[in-house]
Structure formats: structure tokens, C-alpha cells
Amino acid sequence: MNDFIINTDLEIANGDFVFDYVDQQNIEILLLNQKGNYKEFPVLGVGITQYLKSPDTTSRLRLENEIDKQLSYDNFQVKTLDINNLNNIQIDGNY
């Protein structure tokens, strides 16, 4: 999917917004944002930082379920999801 590129701010080149492939950017934004950050969509967001603070297995299962659910809400078809290494979460799928 092509959309605006955001790196702390909208990227602008030659006086216009920069458009590019943004699937990775959309997933990152979805994982980092807490529920309630978007007033139009109050249940959108994983809030991954809260899950990373808790090392127990139950939290990891909840995190995996929440990521899968939130990506599905965003019309992303998840093929594989691997959260065994929290420093390198693997998500394979497409919009």
C-alpha cells in the first residue's frame, strides 16, 4: 500500500508529500499506539510497551492475540506471527 511516509514528521520532497510502500510503517504505528490514542477509533492499538514489561507466558499469549486481532481490524491478513524473541517480532502477511 502506498501512503504518506512519516519519520517523526511527514516527509516532504520537492514541495510535495513523499509517498511510498508503508505496510511496515502502518504495523509499527499500530503496535506502538495505545488504545484510545485515536479518538475516532478508540479500540485501535496494541500498546506493545506494556506487554514488553511483563516477561510471563500469559502476557506473551495476550500480546500475540492482541497483535493478530489489531492487524485483522486493519485488514491485514496475518500468515505467520512469531513473538518468541520480543526484540525481533516476526510478522508475515499482506494487506
Side-chain angles (χ1 to χ4, degrees):
M1 168 190 327
N2 284 336
D3 204 350
F4 299 109
I5 299 295
I6 301 172
N7 289 324
T8 66
D9 203 2
L10 283 171
E11 283 193 27
I12 299 175
N14 299 323
D16 202 359
F17 296 116
V18 176
F19 283 84
D20 203 356
Y21 184 75
V22 294
D23 288 357
Q24 186 69 32
Q25 174 181 289
N26 289 348
I27 292 170
E28 181 181 342
I29 289 170
L30 188 68
L31 293 176
L32 292 174
N33 279 285
Q34 300 283 341
K35 287 179 177 32
N37 283 6
Y38 296 102
K39 301 305 178 196
E40 305 85 21
F41 307 102
V43 296
L44 182 69
V46 172
I48 196 167
T49 55
Q50 297 303 315
Y51 289 97
L52 296 178
K53 293 177 183 176
S54 178
D56 67 352
T57 305
T58 306
S59 287
R60 286 191 183 200
L61 292 173
R62 286 184 188 149
L63 173 61
E64 185 173 9
N65 183 41
E66 189 65 25
I67 290 172
D68 187 50
K69 182 173 57 172
Q70 291 294 327
L71 289 173
S72 295
Y73 287 161
D74 199 36
N75 294 321
F76 184 87
Q77 280 81 39
V78 177
K79 294 178 186 172
T80 59
L81 175 59
D82 180 12
I83 64 164
N84 291 325
N85 180 359
L86 293 178
N87 293 321
N88 188 19
I89 296 174
Q90 300 291 317
I91 300 172
D92 183 26
N94 59 342
Y95 279 96

